[in-house]
Amino acid sequence: MNRVLRAPVNYVAPMALRPRYYANDKSRDVVDLDPREVEITDARAEQPNLGVEGFTLATHRSALADFHDAEAVRAVYAPEIEALVRGLCGADEVRVTSPGVLRFGEKSSDSGRLNNSMPARFVHVDVDDGTAAAFADRAAPQGRAIRRFAHFNVWRVLTPPPQDVPLALCDASSVEPSDLVAADAVIDELGKPEWAFTGLLVRPNRRHRWRWFSDMNPGEALVFKTNDSDPSAPHCVPHSAFDNPLCPTDTHPRSSIELRAIAYWYG
């Protein structure tokens, strides 16, 4: 039987200004949060899939030994993830479009030390439709007509279970377009020019169905959709880090790596 817990997640409150949030300096965020306690069901026994809920948990062992080696992540792990996503969604081609982003629970001394390395503590979607289309066009295979693209986030824990700060995912079929709020996502990496794109924050909705996967291990990959150009497919999966109330207080802080990938179907 699936475990069900209750935990707060941070939705966005009504705002007069356009929300704006930063990858590193959270003191600059312009976001009014609306914390709500929600029911989060362990999805281990449910076997959700990309075509219905918009996410799935896949068994996937990587040949990479050190996920802190950025060059090895690019050379070894990224092609593995491209093959994984292609097999799961049936696309003609998949391209990883981001470096590996390492994140650490706040109890870790590494949290905030690296670029964009803190857990995302509010409900969000990585990209809006306009950003998704622009990013897909920029990375698209040359000389091929594209009839559909979809963006995916692939999230893997690097520490053993249990996770003190796991990821909660909102079933895409329970999300209304009116729940989504455009916001500026600013990449403020030290020593580099700032740049921004449009992401999405999320308003509370009692229809939302929240899921998590208990006791993830490094031999698993959580794959979830953040945008799809096909209007008949699940569109996006809002997600957020949350504090696991079932986790012992002396648990090792969670560390994880995520890659973002774009899948293409040729016309």
Side-chain angles (χ1 to χ4, degrees):
M1 184 175 181
N2 285 3
R3 284 183 290 182
V4 178
L5 55 79
R6 296 192 65 85
V9 297
N10 289 312
Y11 287 104
V12 65
M15 294 179 59
L17 299 175
R18 179 182 170 99
R20 187 174 183 87
Y21 54 90
Y22 291 78
N24 295 295
D25 186 357
K26 303 301 183 184
S27 70
R28 299 172 66 192
D29 286 359
V30 182
V31 179
D32 292 340
L33 299 177
D34 183 358
R36 299 289 183 100
E37 187 175 80
V38 298
E39 187 175 274
I40 308 175
T41 301
D42 185 354
R44 284 251 172 218
E46 295 184 352
Q47 299 181 333
N49 67 77
L50 296 176
V52 179
E53 295 88 355
F55 59 89
T56 193
L57 185 67
T59 298
H60 182 263
R61 298 196 177 278
S62 174
L64 186 60
D66 182 7
F67 287 90
H68 295 76
D69 184 337
E71 178 56 31
V73 168
R74 184 197 66 79
V76 177
Y77 189 50
E80 292 178 341
I81 293 306
E82 290 172 346
L84 172 66
V85 174
R86 188 167 58 249
L88 289 172
C89 72
D92 294 303
E93 185 162 352
V94 174
R95 293 189 169 183
V96 165
T97 57
S98 71
V101 177
L102 293 164
R103 297 188 193 271
F104 307 88
E106 288 89 349
K107 292 180 180 179
S108 169
S109 59
D110 289 320
S111 187
R113 185 176 63 84
L114 305 177
N115 178 48
N116 199 15
S117 61
M118 292 175 281
R121 286 289 188 168
F122 46 80
V123 183
H124 69 286
V125 178
D126 297 344
V127 291
D128 79 333
D129 288 349
T131 297
F135 285 0
D137 183 66
R138 186 172 66 188
Q142 296 298 308
R144 302 302 300 258
I146 306 299
R147 64 177 175 85
R148 176 190 175 193
F149 64 81
H151 289 249
F152 294 92
N153 192 320
V154 182
W155 193 84
R156 179 190 300 268
V157 297
L158 303 179
T159 43
Q163 281 78 50
D164 61 340
V165 185
L167 198 65
L169 305 123
C170 188
D171 183 337
S173 67
S174 71
V175 179
E176 301 286 349
S178 58
D179 298 338
L180 306 175
V181 179
D184 295 322
V186 185
I187 307 301
D188 55 337
E189 188 173 0
L190 187 65
K192 296 183 179 181
E194 288 186 359
W195 65 283
F197 57 89
T198 301
L200 296 169
L201 300 179
V202 183
R203 298 184 179 98
N205 186 328
R206 292 182 179 179
R207 292 187 66 252
H208 290 164
R209 292 188 295 273
W210 285 97
R211 299 292 184 266
W212 68 301
F213 289 93
S214 62
D215 297 336
M216 284 185 63
N217 66 72
E220 297 174 318
L222 178 53
V223 182
F224 58 96
K225 189 184 297 184
T226 56
N227 190 271
D228 198 322
S229 68
D230 182 353
S232 68
H235 187 62
C236 64
V237 175
H239 50 284
S240 175
F242 73 99
D243 292 322
N244 180 2
L246 305 179
C247 192
T249 57
D250 59 351
T251 298
H252 191 279
R254 179 262 281 182
S255 67
S256 60
I257 187 169
E258 66 181 62
L259 285 184
R260 299 182 184 185
I262 307 176
Y264 296 93
W265 288 260
Y266 300 148

